[in-house]
Amino acid sequence: MAQVNVKRKPLRIGVPKGSLYPDSLDILEAAGLPIQNLRDPGRQLIFREDGYEFIILRPTDVPTFVANGGADCAMCGEDSIIEANMEVVEMVDLKYGGCRFVVAEPAEAALTIDDSYSRLGVMKVATKYPRITKAYYDSIGTQVEIVQLHGNIELAPLCQMADRIVDITATGTTLRENNLRIVDDVMNSTARFIANPASVRIDDRIRNLAIKLSEVVASKENA
Amino acid sequence: MIATTPRGFKDVLPEEARVREQLNKKITAAIDLWGYDPIETPTLEVLDVLERGSKLDSTAFRLFDGDNKLLVMRPDVTLPIARMVASRLGNEDKKLRFRYNLRVFRDSESAKSHSREFTQIGIERIGAKGPAADAETIIVFVESLLASGLEDFKIEICNVEVLKKLLEACDASEEFNDAVLTAYHESNYVKLDEVLDAASLDAEISACIRELIRIHGGREAISRCRELLSGYVREQVFDELDKTYEIIEECGYAEYVGIDFSLLSSFDYYTGLIMEAYAPGFAKSIGGGGRYDNLLEVFGKKAPAAGFAFSLERLMHALSVQDNLALEPKAEEFIDQDDPEAFKKAMEAHKKGITTTIGGAR
């Protein structure tokens, strides 16, 4: 196999910071990878360990890094994968980081929204995920104008900038605190192990890691 | 204000142009040794005509001409060559070997900032089938990449028949087949598992489809696949793939060729062998191809055929990362234009093959 050059290079693994970070480290550790130094990363973004290079990424940038070869493989939320719509190989459902994509609206607003939709023929929806939102509303045949935000989506309907929001929620607490209620489920999302389509075919270490990770997932489920 | 080019188009300045020229020359020479003749097809084709061969969803430009025909800037070269061979060389039952170096135009929603114009170098071999023909296609591919100076690369091959036959054996709904093909096409193992979990399928065949996408390796992967799928896929498919690989081994190219059953091309005209080339340093496939025995028939002439094409630009990226993209040095001389014998001297030098320029004092 012509893998001489590749073997010299450390395997570069992307780890998303934020809510997926601790579980991502746990599963990598359970698969036998040297991640101790990532537990308390400080401001460091690259960690070089024996045979590996870990890079800490913004969750939404993970697909970009993997698709463009910036990382050979990574842990990534399914939501980010779908939203990015890039060419990556989705290898393992890691089962952690579960969250729901929901449609929510101000608790007292139902009637006015339906009224204004039938008069205006279009509904305004605020979201961080325009692609998922568009696909969802296309599937139910509702015409929407999407207002893209980068955080605090709950504000949009409270400021009358949008009728509804599409956002992720783990427990629903933030929505309730902002007096929003869930009106529909869009999809569920969990963390995935993804790989660059070229790397996975050139470098056997990725497939081996995928096998180890799925073994860890299976043993957790059976425990 | 800077006058820009359209999105996804770029100029090629002299240094890059010279590198491209040198690469083209080396690659062309390697392919030519196998007896392939150069060929060119038009930049524009009639969309309807091409779409007889394959659905085209990543075309960059479609336009109407004065005859109200919907035209397309060619998104690939295989379809135009199939059209040309079937319509222009219809009655001669010749065995044909073509090579080309042409621009293609593609666009994709997920890569808005990327190139829309690519240089494709490739071959098509018409009128031959079987392991020797398949092996030749792969070997010429290997030698083209080696000739360019690329040292580290892998051409992954498989046979699309395997998955097709397996799906036929399932005898399931078209929806199920599409979902499986989409999961294979997107290399989405998780989605594939979900589709299989949701389907009420015989456990054994379900396990086969689940496992097939994960089979990869050298020649031994063919035996593993044969064992796994015995009863679903006829032995001949594996015999031929094995024979093809044997020829590649005999040529000493086994280290460059791998078996990978997760491959599925975005062009739906392939009927047997398919291949994709990958190189460290480039994040996507640098090229691919395969066998398309039914394609010429839709254009009016039945003949088996196979070929490959790769992107010169993608190859150059890979070469650059692998430190093999150098401009070959060239002897150059300069003659002052005030020299009364400047032109005479220049022409003397040119006769010896020395690049000589005339100009003002430097």
XYZ file of all heavy atoms in Angstrom, chain A residues 102-105 124-127 137 153-157 162-167 175 180:
168
model
N -36.512 22.247 17.132
C -37.940 22.492 17.286
C -38.336 23.828 16.664
O -37.502 24.703 16.453
C -38.343 22.511 18.785
C -38.107 21.141 19.414
C -37.589 23.585 19.534
N -39.633 23.925 16.387
C -40.216 25.200 16.007
C -40.882 25.749 17.256
O -41.596 25.022 17.942
C -41.277 25.025 14.910
C -41.801 26.384 14.465
C -40.720 24.247 13.735
N -40.633 27.029 17.580
C -41.264 27.610 18.764
C -41.819 28.986 18.420
O -41.384 29.635 17.471
C -40.261 27.698 19.905
N -42.808 29.398 19.246
C -43.418 30.721 19.031
C -43.805 31.296 20.382
O -43.898 30.557 21.373
C -44.643 30.586 18.132
C -45.742 29.752 18.791
C -46.972 29.562 17.930
O -46.849 29.695 16.709
O -48.037 29.295 18.484
N -42.310 34.790 8.923
C -40.906 35.087 9.201
C -40.382 34.154 10.286
O -40.999 34.035 11.343
C -40.748 36.546 9.644
C -40.791 37.501 8.467
C -40.402 38.892 8.893
C -40.418 39.826 7.688
N -40.363 41.226 8.095
N -39.272 33.517 9.993
C -38.712 32.551 10.934
C -37.252 32.897 11.202
O -36.461 33.055 10.270
C -38.792 31.114 10.364
C -38.213 30.110 11.366
C -40.228 30.753 10.029
N -36.927 33.048 12.483
C -35.537 33.345 12.847
C -34.828 32.047 13.217
O -35.416 31.175 13.861
C -35.497 34.312 14.024
N -33.589 31.917 12.804
C -32.844 30.692 13.095
C -31.349 30.885 12.880
O -30.914 31.790 12.184
C -33.334 29.526 12.199
O -32.686 28.327 12.605
C -33.010 29.783 10.735
N -39.577 23.704 6.215
C -40.783 24.401 5.747
C -41.150 23.991 4.333
O -42.331 23.941 3.978
C -40.621 25.925 5.895
C -40.919 26.368 7.304
C -39.904 26.712 8.181
C -42.232 26.386 7.784
C -40.172 27.088 9.485
C -42.527 26.752 9.086
C -41.494 27.105 9.938
O -41.779 27.456 11.223
N -31.540 33.392 19.658
C -32.617 33.353 18.668
C -33.955 33.744 19.302
O -34.823 34.326 18.663
C -32.753 31.921 18.068
C -31.391 31.324 17.750
C -33.639 31.925 16.844
C -30.603 32.058 16.734
N -34.091 33.426 20.623
C -35.364 33.659 21.326
C -35.796 35.119 21.237
O -36.980 35.442 21.342
C -35.235 33.283 22.809
C -34.758 31.876 23.087
C -33.242 31.725 22.951
O -32.536 32.752 22.938
O -32.768 30.586 22.831
N -34.813 36.010 21.070
C -35.128 37.440 21.035
C -35.989 37.821 19.835
O -36.798 38.739 19.921
C -33.825 38.251 20.971
C -33.195 38.658 22.308
C -31.862 39.332 22.046
C -34.140 39.568 23.071
N -35.784 37.129 18.721
C -36.409 37.563 17.467
C -37.929 37.699 17.549
O -38.458 38.758 17.208
C -35.985 36.645 16.325
N -38.662 36.666 18.052
C -40.115 36.848 18.131
C -40.508 37.847 19.232
O -41.525 38.525 19.101
C -40.642 35.445 18.444
C -39.481 34.664 18.924
C -38.250 35.300 18.373
N -39.544 38.290 14.038
C -39.934 37.037 13.396
C -41.160 36.489 14.107
O -41.417 36.822 15.260
C -38.796 36.031 13.471
N -41.948 35.644 13.383
C -43.123 35.031 13.993
C -42.731 33.827 14.829
O -43.249 33.593 15.904
C -44.100 34.578 12.903
C -44.527 35.730 12.014
O -44.952 36.757 12.573
O -44.392 35.608 10.783
N -41.813 33.040 14.264
C -41.424 31.807 14.934
C -39.906 31.663 14.898
O -39.217 32.389 14.171
C -42.059 30.604 14.246
C -43.552 30.517 14.549
C -44.187 29.294 13.960
N -45.587 29.247 14.413
C -46.565 28.665 13.753
N -46.334 28.068 12.600
N -47.796 28.661 14.232
N -39.410 30.685 15.623
C -37.982 30.379 15.544
C -37.806 28.883 15.304
O -38.680 28.080 15.644
C -37.198 30.780 16.826
C -37.639 29.932 18.025
C -37.371 32.261 17.117
C -36.742 30.098 19.238
N -36.688 28.526 14.682
C -36.277 27.132 14.612
C -34.932 27.065 15.309
O -33.995 27.775 14.940
C -36.158 26.640 13.154
C -35.472 25.284 13.104
C -37.543 26.543 12.514
N -34.873 26.269 16.371
C -33.632 26.239 17.140
C -33.449 24.871 17.780
O -34.392 24.070 17.808
C -33.667 27.335 18.224
C -32.258 27.736 18.644
O -31.281 27.254 18.020
O -32.128 28.530 19.593
N -36.307 28.098 26.281
C -37.529 28.466 25.572
C -38.612 28.875 26.576
O -39.242 29.922 26.434
C -38.021 27.294 24.717
C -37.133 26.893 23.537
C -37.668 25.637 22.862
C -37.040 28.030 22.525
N -41.651 31.041 25.347
C -41.885 30.472 24.018
C -42.358 29.039 24.191
O -41.931 28.354 25.119
C -40.591 30.494 23.194
C -40.019 31.862 22.847
C -38.600 31.723 22.321
C -40.892 32.568 21.819
